[in-house]
Amino acid sequence: ATHDRTRVLEFELGDERFCLDIDYIEEIVELENMTRVPNSPSYVEGVVDLRGQVTAIINPKDALDVGDEGRGKLIIVFDSEQMDEQGHLGWVVDEVRQVTPVAEDEVNESPDEDAEHINGVINREDEDDFVVWTTPELALQST
């Protein structure tokens, strides 16, 4: 079923590559003027005002167990209609790579069976590396 492809946005956190279904994503913006929130959980970086909408910025590195080197400068802003009760939310990431179509047969099971917010691992034929396919709910689980 090659016509059954999902478009995903690939991004980097530290040295690792991840992707999200683009249906969840509203836009990508540069991180600026973030306000820290006192007494917030460690994975909450702060909030930003995006066109009058207060958006919580989450660092998914905690939840994905990625080293914290590198300072993310981009925010993947999620479509709030896709996020139900979470409201306006974004992830700070180190780099945004590309949007690519992924066929179901390119996705392997996650080696970590407990990782409920990992859809699988996408191997790249032309590269040694792989891309971990995650979901926006993942970073919310680190509470």
Side-chain angles (χ1 to χ4, degrees):
T2 46
H3 64 277
D4 230 10
R5 291 167 106 52
T6 303
R7 292 176 59 214
V8 297
L9 175 73
E10 290 183 20
F11 60 94
E12 290 181 10
L13 296 170
D15 296 334
E16 298 183 45
R17 292 177 53 191
F18 296 88
C19 68
L20 289 159
D21 185 327
I22 64 163
D23 288 346
Y24 288 113
I25 300 168
E26 187 169 301
E27 64 181 333
I28 297 156
V29 295
E30 283 192 31
L31 177 61
E32 48 189 48
N33 301 329
M34 183 168 56
T35 304
R36 292 237 171 249
V37 180
N39 305 321
S40 60
S42 62
Y43 62 89
V44 176
E45 292 281 305
V47 294
V48 294
D49 183 338
L50 295 175
R51 285 177 286 297
Q53 192 63 58
V54 175
T55 302
I57 304 305
I58 289 179
N59 185 340
K61 288 181 179 179
D62 275 0
L64 291 166
D65 211 17
V66 173
D68 209 13
E69 69 282 341
R71 197 70 223 123
K73 291 279 180 242
L74 293 170
I75 302 171
I76 295 174
V77 180
F78 294 108
D79 181 343
S80 58
E81 289 176 19
Q82 298 278 351
M83 295 303 291
D84 299 332
E85 297 133 33
Q86 280 79 39
H88 297 273
L89 197 62
W91 279 7
V92 61
V93 301
D94 296 332
E95 177 125 9
V96 171
R97 307 271 308 196
Q98 61 195 0
V99 173
T100 52
V102 176
E104 215 169 284
D105 61 5
E106 295 173 307
V107 181
N108 299 311
E109 294 267 319
S110 169
D112 180 357
E113 291 168 14
D114 297 331
E116 61 183 281
H117 296 294
I118 303 288
N119 290 346
V121 176
I122 304 162
N123 288 325
R124 294 284 180 235
E125 290 173 19
D126 56 338
E127 301 170 44
D128 293 342
D129 63 359
F130 54 89
V131 179
V132 177
W133 187 349
T134 185
T135 67
E137 291 82 15
L138 169 105
L140 301 169
Q141 297 306 307
S142 47
T143 52

